[in-house]
């Protein structure tokens, strides 16, 4: 049986997004979207970066635990190790490029640019912003990570491998 929060999340993720009426890039820190039903969302660069729809941001496993957050794999250092994206508190948006009439590709100042954000995906992120942010912070804490940039350490690797 689904718990109440999971049931609510399931309902939100299955909602058909209304028509986008306005998109505003407020570089470098946010994107604002408005929809035909009156919903307006302001989404930070950090929030968009950690929820990138890029292939490298799909559901993966952290130490056997399923995580809905993008992970960075480090095949050159620890082929079996993957890490939750962290340290993106100050990431900025450099530009946004239209992709057809259904979305945009955001170029971030950490050079990530492979995700295509559809208008429906923006609606999903905006509608679920609070729970997604809360889950992300909880995951960071669970893995001893921070939103603030800092020195990366790769658990399970020797310190010489992590520093090279």
């Amino acid at each position: 049986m689904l718990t109440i929060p999971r049931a609510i999340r399931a309902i939100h993720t299955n909602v058909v997004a209304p028509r986008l009426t306005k998109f505003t890039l407020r570089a470098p820190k946010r994107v604002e979207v408005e929809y035909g039903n009156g919903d307006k969302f302001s989404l930070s660069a950090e929030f968009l970066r950690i929820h990138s729809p890029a292939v490298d941001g799909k559901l993966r496993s952290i130490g056997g635990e399923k995580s809905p957050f993008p992970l960075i794999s480090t095949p050159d250092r620890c082929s079996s190790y993957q890490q939750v994206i962290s340290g993106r508190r100050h990431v900025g948006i450099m530009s946004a490029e239209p992709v057809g009439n259904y979305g945009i590709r955001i170029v971030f100042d950490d050079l990530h640019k492979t995700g295509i954000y559809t208008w429906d995906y923006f609606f999903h992120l905006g509608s679920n912003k609070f729970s997604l942010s809360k889950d992300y912070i909880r995951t960071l804490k669970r893995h001893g990570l921070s939103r603030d940039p800092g020195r990366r350490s790769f658990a399970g690797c020797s310190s010489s491998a992590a520093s090279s």
Side-chain angles (χ1 to χ4, degrees), residues 3-106:
T3 63
I4 297 294
R6 283 182 59 202
I8 291 171
R9 245 181 273 148
I11 291 168
H12 277 293
T13 58
N14 293 326
V15 171
V16 175
R19 183 168 164 45
L20 179 82
T21 56
K22 186 175 182 183
F23 173 87
T24 308
L25 173 60
R26 303 257 186 232
K29 289 299 175 189
R30 66 186 51 262
V31 163
E32 295 171 357
V33 289
E34 294 182 27
Y35 290 87
N37 67 350
D39 285 348
K40 298 177 183 179
F41 305 111
S42 180
L43 306 170
S44 73
E46 176 192 18
F47 182 77
L48 293 169
R49 175 61 179 91
I50 63 172
H51 290 93
S52 172
V55 172
D56 60 353
K58 297 296 181 197
L59 183 69
R60 303 228 181 107
S61 172
I62 305 173
E65 167 189 352
K66 291 289 185 180
S67 171
F69 303 106
L71 305 170
I72 299 171
S73 61
T74 57
D76 57 328
R77 297 194 177 141
C78 300
S79 59
S80 63
Y81 180 70
Q82 295 176 329
Q83 176 182 357
V84 175
I85 290 177
S86 62
R88 297 299 191 268
R89 182 188 300 261
H90 305 295
V91 73
I93 298 171
M94 292 174 37
S95 65
E97 306 161 352
V99 178
N101 61 0
Y102 62 91
I104 61 164
R105 175 179 290 114
I106 297 177

